[in-house]
């Protein structure tokens, strides 16, 4: 297929500025540093269709819930990641005419996102105000000092003369595209000139959630320009510079911005704190900061990079995904989580979903130090009181983690999701087990983790009901991971997960001493009740078909493969009425298979294959999370070609704009998919029972792929080719690695090489 | 219990004007004439909390749909019965001070709705502008000439002197309480002075539904007053009168208003048409019009009255219900239907629901001439093209009648209702059969009716699916009449009804000649397919319990009676989260029992009793339609005390404001409930197979009840006492009446009297 961006191993670039595609380019060239981020908006502004977006982690606004018919228990507000002050603006005027690539003629344009070095550059030649300018802009958000943004603008005068004016500014007149009632969420609370700064505060709200104050201060260093002095007006602070220009003259402006928020700094100290950050930053020049950024990214890549030989688009795709993920979250702040669009857009509100536990925890466990995932776990522990509140909203005991949240309080407002898609509560528990099993570190589990587990177990114990007729516990009225059905009874995945939570939590509780159990207020009777439920939990299955049944009446449906429906009907959610989707057999994303993915060791490969071959053909994969998870299972079931086919559907989702919605922002949480497909799927990495194992194969079109993983203090480099696989320990004590069932010992300097087996089942 | 209004057989009155209860009083004292209607707002205005409401039948506005998350297939707009021009206003000023009962002192107040004569009166003595006035106001909306409204205001000056000013006006500055985005739905298009008139037009809308123009013109006849001349301004036309007053002087003003709409009259002819109506009206004086109104109501009552001796509140309750029903709809215009709030409020939008076919058709069949129900049937036939559109919206064949509509296009916007509460489509078909069986007239059935039936049958034939595993047809993903569950599979009622539609339609088709079948484009194959589905329709039942099962997994629920839950939790929909309601066993309104009610002859009394005793204890009756239907079934099952208990929950629903929401308007469609409970329940009237039968009992507290019914050209007066029952033919040919299994012949002058049986099962 034709790619929208040039294919290159480390750079995403384009030379084509189609005005229809500005939003798409802005999304793809988003940058972030975990603390803040922004879409690839042009510094000088753009008069055409564009979505200006700057976002600050953890800064949000509760927008009143809007529904047609209110239902008891609905959340009062929907949280929005709010579009923050635009601090990247640098206006450019030549002889009084503003440079706007929507209106002025230009040539030789290049926009490049350098993923290896973590920076965005843009260059072009244009005619403006009778002058020909060669413009270069570079910017990065520091991952060394997260409050800092750096931009360097260099302009060479190719032709013409007169005056040139550069206007770095901080602009507070921004608004959200997705506000329910069109309001602006911010107001100005202060401006200053030395340094030039603007303070904005989110509006008061009727829900009692915190207001946020944000202050952005800027300093500019210039070559060949004279300062006009800081100018300010309501919602805007500017620090313009001018130069008299003639052919051959060159001007430069380096804009440094410090952004502080009331999340970290008292409002009263904002200006001084921001000023201090700028002063500190000024001790180094732009090139030094740039080099530090490059080196910090190199460290991240050392652990997180995936190399693919023989498939340049795949190579670029996986790097883009990893780059955007690591730009969104790197675990520095345990009050934060990972929004589905990160810092790249507003839809889905940048809030926390169960995506984090389901598909991001496994990745971050392997590509970063354990404290990154620990931060994600602590995030949920901090929100235990709110999770209790959510359960009470439904009249239930224990804790219910939210479907969508900023502060732990549920803010999604469709009853079939909010009230019924409760399997999310199991994924939160599972991530604790996953972390514990992967790292071998039981500290979190036995301290904070067990508090979370206990309350989740209590939720399930209250949420099940005992069916007299069958003598079993059931869970009615749920929505499983397959959101193309809802309000079903005994969703196999949900029941299985609830049963696991009850058993696992009980096992952990039984390890605790009396005193600790007393602080958790867990009696033997309660533990016994959990065991009773777990023992008598109803799990629908069909002996004849040899499959687990998605929910009670799934097999009564008219069953047919996706291939039986017209391609013009796809995606279903854009072509079929909702009721038709609901009663069809078609599955949005893994449901039974989600359970087999999470608890793979509890099923035989034959079972997995039978269920995969039953359910996958009915799966439309209309969730961006779906194909990669299926790729992992297909690989586990020995269906290598199917695994590769499914991998390819997720690897370049945004880069190739598969879903035709990337202009709204990137699918950040889905970006783990391609990594999971490669590492857990193609390489078959597993970490159960404290044993690291692989069962690798190399996709036919590839010559080689390689990745590194962090595992219990080691850094292990894995390389797979059609001929075999190699495992090289880069850091840490010697390690036993099991490859296709055989254990090998590896230590630094002693890599293990394993030949491919001749027979590859199913491929 | 303490009654809010004085108990009287024919009058609903109060002498207490609690400012907290003005809205409630306005609702209760609403009047209407099928063409237009209004809440009991005070002519002179009221400065306190009040809901000014005037509504015109068939005049509505499409308000854009407001939902949290858009789903494919959602209607684009929700229709609203719109608050029309206020033509009842008559301002009163004494010495420059406006009379407002919210602020001026008053005594001897009485507000009376005279149900027998169809008029509303109000009288009081008040102090205003230093003068003591005795005020009498009377008004009625003519059921003789529906476009006309009459008001007579008489004021006696008790004390004081100076000037008195009366300001009859037509005021267009009204708005809906329930508009989604707060807009006004109207704008002025014209004003005139001779006669004084105002024309308003609904705003254009983006959905292509018609705009409506409404013109109200007024004339006043006065005694003791001088005309100031018509005055007008934007949205307001007034025709003030003044008098110089002294103690003992009396003034009178009769205001006549003619209201015409673009539904009947071209916009260009509005003024002349309204003027002609006023001229024609002026040929008679107020007292003559009043006498005509009284006599027209007497005719209605002759057919529709229910007399109850020994229970004055019950007597008043049933009359109030019948009065409001007959004020809302009397079949004159087959483009109209019966909104759940009639002309008394805005909530539920005054639109058409399946209530019409479910609970109003049986009543109107008995209390009015057949053409009234024929109008209701023709209403649906007119909307067949829109019903086809609704089915297409869901990707289905045939026709789907809407859950809520003004123009036939579905405008409800909760997927679980809009898309899934499709049983409504069966009720539309059933009403055709009901009419045909009751009247014996097959003309409608064989002409328009079969067109409706065929398209409904096609809908069901497409909506079922064949379950390979069971070899049966199923209907998945529906909401039954019990809206406290939804998206269930194989709702017994829905499946039963669908099966009946297919069989009945096929039977009717088989009677048609070749030519007629060709125009309907029905092949033998299609008929055969309908028969195949009907034969193999899955109907869940439980042999052990001997009951029909509400839906596939209902019996897996935790079953318990309503009595097991805390009274403080009731009503559930105000106390429990929606998910909790959904997974509970508690039933909002009859579901399986709705089917047994509609198809009673297909079940044995023992079956009905078993199902009643299984389901009713789990029923919370949180629909105002529920108790009365259960009362009918309880009576049929011989549970007389239970029948009376259930009757009492619906008989004075609004008069005693049981649901604490009557201030928003009356529950018009529920008003048939008490009539059904008495006539079908206590008197046991049935009309199957062309045979009129009764199995009456007299509730213990009652000494006697009597009612009349229209049946196949006869008017039959029925009277029941503890001792026995009597049947007196008032009009028509001799008639066979079956009473408790024995047939009797009755003719005019030869009433039948039947002694009570000694043994009354279950009471």
């Amino acid at each position: 297929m034709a790619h929208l961006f040039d294919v290159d191993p480390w750079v995403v670039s384009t030379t084509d500025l189609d005005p229809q595609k500005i939003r798409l380019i802005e999304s793809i060239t988003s940058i972030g540093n975990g603390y803040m981020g922004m879409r690839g908006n042009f510094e000088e502004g753009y008069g055409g269709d564009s979505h200006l977006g700057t976002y600050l982690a953890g800064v949000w606004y509760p927008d009143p819930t809007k529904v047609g018919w209110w239902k008891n228990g609905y959340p009062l507000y929907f949280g929005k990641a709010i579009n923050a002050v635009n601090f990247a603006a640098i206006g450019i005027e030549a002889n009084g005419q503003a440079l706007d690539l929507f209106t002025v003629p230009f040539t030789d344009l290049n926009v490049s996102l350098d993923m290896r070095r973590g920076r965005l550059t843009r260059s072009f030649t244009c005619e403006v105000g009778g002058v020909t300018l060669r413009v270069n802009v570079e910017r990065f958000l520091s991952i060394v000092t997260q409050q800092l943004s750096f931009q360097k603008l260099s302009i060479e005068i190719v032709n013409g003369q007169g005056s040139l004016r550069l206007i770095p500014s901080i602009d507070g007149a921004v608004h959200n595209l997705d506000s329910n009632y069109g309001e602006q969420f911010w107001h100005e609370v202060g401006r200053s000139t030395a340094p030039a700064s603007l303070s904005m505060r989110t509006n008061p709200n009727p829900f009692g959630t915190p207001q946020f104050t944000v202050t952005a201060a800027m300093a500019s260093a210039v070559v060949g320009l004279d300062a006009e002095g800081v100018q300010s007006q309501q919602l805007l602070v500017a620090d313009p510079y001018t130069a008299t220009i003639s052919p051959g003259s060159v001007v430069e402006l380096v804009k440094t911005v410090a952004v502080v928020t009331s999340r970290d700094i008292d409002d009263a100290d904002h200006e001084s704190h921001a000023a201090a950050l700028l002063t500190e930053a000024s001790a180094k020049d732009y090139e030094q900061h740039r080099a530090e950024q490059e080196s910090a990214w190199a460290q991240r890549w050392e652990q997180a990079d995936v190399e693919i030989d023989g498939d340049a688009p795949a190579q670029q795709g996986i790097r883009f995904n990893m780059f955007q993920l690591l730009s969104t979250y790197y675990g520095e702040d345990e009050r934060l989580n990972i929004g589905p669009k990160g810092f790249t857009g507003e839809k889905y509100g940048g809030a926390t979903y169960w995506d984090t536990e389901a598909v991001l925890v496994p990745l971050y466990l392997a590509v970063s130090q354990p404290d990154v995932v620990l931060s994600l776990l602590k995030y949920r522990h901090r929100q235990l009181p709110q999770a209790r509140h959510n359960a009470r909203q439904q009249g239930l005991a224990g804790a219910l983690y939210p479907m969508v949240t900023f502060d732990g309080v549920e803010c999604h407002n469709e009853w079939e999701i909010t009230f019924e898609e409760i399997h999310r509560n199991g994924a939160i528990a599972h991530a604790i087990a996953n972390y514990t099993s992967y790292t071998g570190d039981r500290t979190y589990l036995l301290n904070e983790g067990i508090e979370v587990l206990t309350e989740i177990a209590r939720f399930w114990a209250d949420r099940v009901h005992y069916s007299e007729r069958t003598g079993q516990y059931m869970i009615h009225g749920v929505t499983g991971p397959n959101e193309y059905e809802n309000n079903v009874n005994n969703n196999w995945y949900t029941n299985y997960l609830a049963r696991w939570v009850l058993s696992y939590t009980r096992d952990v509780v039984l390890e605790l001493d009396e005193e600790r159990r007393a602080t958790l207020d867990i009696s033997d009777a309660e533990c016994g009740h959990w065991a009773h439920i777990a023992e008598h939990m109803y799990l629908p299955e069909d002996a004849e078909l040899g499959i687990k049944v998605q929910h009670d009446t799934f097999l009564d449906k008219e069953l047919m493969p996706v291939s039986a429906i017209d391609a013009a009907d796809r995606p279903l959610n854009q072509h079929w009425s909702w009721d038709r989707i609901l009663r069809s057999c078609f599955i949005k994303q893994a449901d039974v298979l989600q359970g087999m993915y999470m608890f793979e060791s509890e099923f035989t490969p034959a079972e997995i294959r039978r269920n995969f071959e039953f359910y996958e053909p009915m799966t439309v994969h209309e969730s961006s999370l779906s194909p990669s998870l299926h790729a992992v299972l297909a690989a586990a079931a020995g269906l290598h070609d199917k695994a590769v086919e499914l991998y390819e559907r997720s690897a370049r989702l945004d880069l190739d704009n598969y879903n035709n919605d990337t202009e709204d922002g990137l699918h950040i949480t889905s970006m783990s998919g391609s990594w999971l497909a490669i590492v857990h799927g193609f390489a078959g990495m597993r970490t159960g029972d404290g044993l690291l194992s692989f069962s690798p194969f190399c996709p036919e079109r590839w010559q080689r792929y390689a990745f590194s993983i962090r595992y219990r203090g080691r850094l292990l480099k894995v390389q797979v080719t059609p001929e075999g696989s190699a495992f090289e320990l880069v850091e840490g004590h010697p390690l036993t690695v099991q490859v296709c069932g055989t254990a090998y010992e590896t230590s630094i300097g002693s890599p293990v090489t394993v030949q491919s087996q001749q027979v590859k089942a199913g491929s």
Side-chain angles (χ1 to χ4, degrees), chain A:
Chain A
M1 76 184 291
H3 297 292
L4 299 166
F5 295 87
D6 299 336
V7 173
D8 178 282
W10 279 109
V11 176
V12 175
S13 64
T14 184
T15 55
D16 178 17
L17 212 63
D18 178 351
Q20 304 291 319
K21 292 193 176 147
I22 299 298
R23 283 176 190 249
L24 177 61
I25 293 169
E26 288 170 342
S27 292
I28 295 286
T29 58
S30 294
I31 57 174
N33 68 1
Y35 175 85
M36 58 189 174
M38 55 177 64
R39 294 167 54 83
N41 306 120
F42 302 164
E43 277 79 355
E44 69 278 12
Y46 186 76
D49 182 56
S50 155
H51 176 196
L52 182 69
T54 313
Y55 307 95
L56 302 175
V59 173
W60 62 284
Y61 188 77
D63 218 16
T65 296
K66 179 183 78 166
V67 293
W69 303 81
W70 193 267
K71 277 164 176 147
N72 212 34
Y74 267 157
L76 299 174
Y77 57 84
F78 187 77
K80 299 272 166 86
I82 55 177
N83 208 337
V85 54
N86 172 20
F87 58 78
I90 308 177
I92 303 174
E93 292 172 9
N95 292 325
Q97 187 190 351
L99 197 174
D100 175 355
L101 293 180
F102 186 58
T103 50
V104 309
F106 63 89
T107 59
D108 301 321
L109 175 126
N110 182 284
V111 180
S112 290
L113 180 67
D114 184 333
M115 302 186 285
R116 190 203 293 260
R117 299 178 183 88
R119 63 192 187 222
L120 175 66
T121 59
R122 189 162 50 98
S123 57
F124 54 89
T125 303
C126 69
E127 310 282 336
V128 56
V131 183
T132 307
L133 303 177
R134 178 68 195 162
V135 179
N136 282 280
V137 207
E138 184 173 87
R139 75 178 181 223
F140 62 89
L141 296 174
S142 172
I143 63 170
V144 180
T145 307
Q146 291 182 303
Q147 296 91 336
L148 296 178
S149 155
F150 294 94
Q151 291 165 282
K152 182 176 178 178
L153 173 59
S154 319
I155 301 182
E156 185 192 339
I157 288 70
V158 180
N159 237 319
Q161 56 192 27
S163 72
L164 183 72
R165 192 159 183 254
L166 302 185
I167 313 138
S169 70
I170 299 169
D171 183 359
V174 291
H175 70 281
N176 266 48
L177 287 187
D178 68 345
S179 77
N180 276 338
Y181 298 102
E183 334 81 317
Q184 199 137 2
F185 295 140
W186 296 95
H187 59 277
E188 182 186 306
V189 288
R191 257 173 285 156
S192 180
T193 50
S197 78
L198 179 69
S199 290
M200 301 282 293
R201 186 159 169 79
T202 57
N203 297 337
N205 70 74
F207 307 112
T209 69
Q211 289 176 262
F212 298 96
T213 306
V214 171
T215 300
M218 66 176 164
S220 297
V222 294
V223 176
L225 290 154
D226 299 314
E228 290 182 19
V230 175
Q231 299 167 5
S232 86
Q233 64 186 68
Q234 185 71 15
L235 296 176
L236 182 70
V237 177
D239 183 16
Y241 293 82
T242 46
T244 303
I245 51 168
S246 54
S249 56
V250 173
V251 301
E252 264 184 31
L253 184 146
V254 171
K255 177 181 182 185
T256 306
V257 180
V259 180
V260 299
T261 84
S262 53
R263 294 180 64 250
D264 305 305
I265 308 292
D266 281 350
D267 289 15
D269 302 331
H270 272 207
E271 284 184 19
S272 61
H273 196 90
L277 281 163
L278 289 177
T279 305
E280 204 176 317
S282 67
K284 298 171 190 164
D285 68 11
Y286 178 80
E287 274 62 35
Q288 283 171 297
H289 287 294
R290 188 171 180 260
E292 283 183 9
Q293 172 85 346
E294 197 170 321
S295 134
W297 267 103
Q299 274 180 44
R300 291 190 179 181
W301 283 118
E302 194 188 336
Q303 300 175 87
D305 191 29
V306 178
E307 295 169 79
I308 299 173
D309 291 351
D311 187 341
Q315 174 65 82
Q316 186 185 37
I318 185 79
R319 286 221 175 97
F320 181 70
N321 292 346
M322 295 305 295
F323 173 75
Q324 289 293 354
L325 267 178
L326 304 184
S327 297
T328 303
Y329 187 81
Y330 209 67
E332 295 93 344
D333 184 342
E334 64 188 51
R335 297 167 303 171
L336 297 179
N337 210 289
I338 307 161
K341 293 227 179 297
F343 302 112
T344 73
E346 287 156 26
K347 215 173 158 189
Y348 302 114
T352 306
Y353 285 65
W354 72 290
D355 301 20
T356 297
E357 280 74 11
V359 296
L360 294 167
V361 160
L363 176 145
Y364 277 103
L365 277 173
V367 307
S368 58
Q369 296 286 0
D371 57 344
V372 173
V373 171
L374 204 52
S375 287
L376 289 171
L377 299 184
K378 287 181 175 170
Y379 173 91
R380 297 293 191 179
H381 181 258
R382 291 172 69 91
Q383 296 185 348
L384 187 53
Q386 293 93 312
R388 285 196 188 101
H389 163 85
N390 297 335
R392 288 323 155 269
Q393 282 290 97
Q394 297 192 27
L396 292 166
L400 173 60
Y401 280 89
M403 195 66 196
V404 181
T405 194
F406 278 87
D407 59 354
V409 172
E410 178 64 71
C411 74
H412 190 284
N413 50 35
E414 276 179 312
W415 65 264
E416 62 270 29
I417 306 288
T418 314
F419 295 148
E420 297 208 335
E421 201 169 337
I422 52 176
H423 66 79
R424 61 188 185 253
N425 218 23
I428 309 300
H430 188 260
I432 298 172
N434 201 0
Y435 169 84
T436 306
S437 155
Y438 192 98
T439 62
D441 168 21
R442 299 178 66 78
T443 323
Y444 177 79
L445 172 68
L446 298 175
N447 288 286
E448 298 99 329
I450 188 60
E451 295 176 9
V452 172
L453 287 170
T454 301
E455 287 292 271
I456 292 179
R458 283 172 174 156
F459 172 85
W460 288 117
D462 198 26
R463 183 59 170 78
V464 301
H465 75 272
Y466 186 71
S467 163
E468 287 284 347
R469 284 213 309 172
T470 62
Q472 289 181 296
Y473 289 93
M474 294 188 167
I475 307 180
H476 274 195
V478 303
T479 298
N482 171 28
E483 291 171 332
Y484 283 178
E485 297 192 302
N486 63 43
N487 196 30
V488 301
N489 295 333
N490 296 311
N491 172 253
W492 180 86
Y493 171 70
T494 305
N495 288 21
Y496 195 90
L497 197 54
R499 188 184 73 160
W500 172 84
V501 168
L502 292 166
S503 298
Y504 182 79
T505 306
R506 179 172 171 271
D507 290 348
V508 177
V509 167
L510 293 181
E511 285 182 52
L512 304 175
D513 59 28
E514 288 286 331
E515 198 185 342
R516 181 75 178 117
R517 281 162 74 172
T519 64
L520 294 168
D521 198 24
I522 307 175
S523 66
D524 289 347
E526 185 169 25
C527 262
H529 183 52
W530 294 350
H532 191 262
I533 296 170
E535 263 166 53
H536 297 89
M537 180 71 86
Y538 169 58
L539 293 166
E541 51 186 69
D542 188 90
E544 197 182 317
L545 295 168
I547 56 155
K548 311 303 179 189
V549 177
Q550 193 160 300
H551 63 85
D552 272 349
T553 55
F554 183 82
L555 295 180
D556 285 340
K557 291 193 164 197
E558 194 177 358
L559 303 177
M560 65 180 81
V562 176
S563 58
I565 49 175
D566 200 316
D569 285 1
R570 303 281 307 281
L572 296 183
N573 65 13
Q574 287 174 25
H575 296 91
W576 284 11
S577 75
W578 187 237
D579 59 306
R580 191 173 174 195
I581 291 175
L582 289 180
R583 65 180 183 273
S584 84
C585 68
F586 301 116
I587 301 169
K588 182 183 176 194
Q589 67 183 104
D591 198 295
V592 163
L593 296 180
Q594 176 76 38
M596 296 203 155
Y597 170 75
M598 285 166 66
F599 299 101
E600 193 189 319
S601 65
E602 300 182 24
F603 305 96
T604 66
E607 264 183 309
I608 294 174
R609 186 162 175 155
R610 259 197 322 274
N611 281 276
F612 184 91
E613 288 178 338
F614 183 77
Y615 287 110
E616 197 281 332
M618 294 188 278
T619 305
V620 289
H621 300 294
E622 289 177 13
S623 157
S624 56
L625 300 173
S626 185
S628 48
L629 181 151
H630 282 86
V632 175
L633 281 177
L639 306 167
H640 293 175
D641 291 349
K642 188 77 192 170
V644 172
E645 174 202 324
L646 287 160
Y647 160 81
E648 285 172 351
R649 293 172 67 163
S650 72
R652 291 176 57 91
L653 180 77
D654 283 320
L655 270 185
D656 290 337
N657 194 16
Y658 271 139
N659 286 7
N660 202 28
D661 63 356
T662 295
E663 64 273 19
D664 296 333
L666 304 175
H667 299 83
I668 292 294
T669 47
S670 306
M671 289 188 157
S672 62
S674 48
W675 185 92
L676 292 171
I678 293 173
V679 175
H680 289 194
F682 302 168
M685 173 179 142
R686 298 291 183 275
T687 56
D689 296 324
L691 178 69
L692 180 65
S693 69
F694 295 88
S695 49
F697 75 92
C698 190
E700 261 183 40
R701 295 209 337 259
W702 295 5
Q703 279 127 42
R704 169 185 166 272
Y705 65 95
F707 58 87
S708 296
I709 61 153
R710 286 250 157 233
Y711 182 74
R712 300 196 172 190
R714 284 82 160 195
L715 183 63
L716 181 74
K717 197 168 163 63
V718 180
Q719 177 172 292
V720 182
T721 65
E723 292 72 38
S725 49
F727 304 87
E728 185 190 347
L729 196 65
V730 181
E731 265 180 53
H733 296 296
L735 175 69
T736 299
V737 178
Q738 184 172 292
V739 185
C740 299
T742 308
Y744 301 88
E745 182 86 4
T746 173
S747 56
I748 294 176
S750 301
V752 169
T753 309
V754 182
Q755 290 290 108
S756 280
Q757 298 184 6
Q758 290 304 314
V759 185
K760 288 191 280 179
S763 84

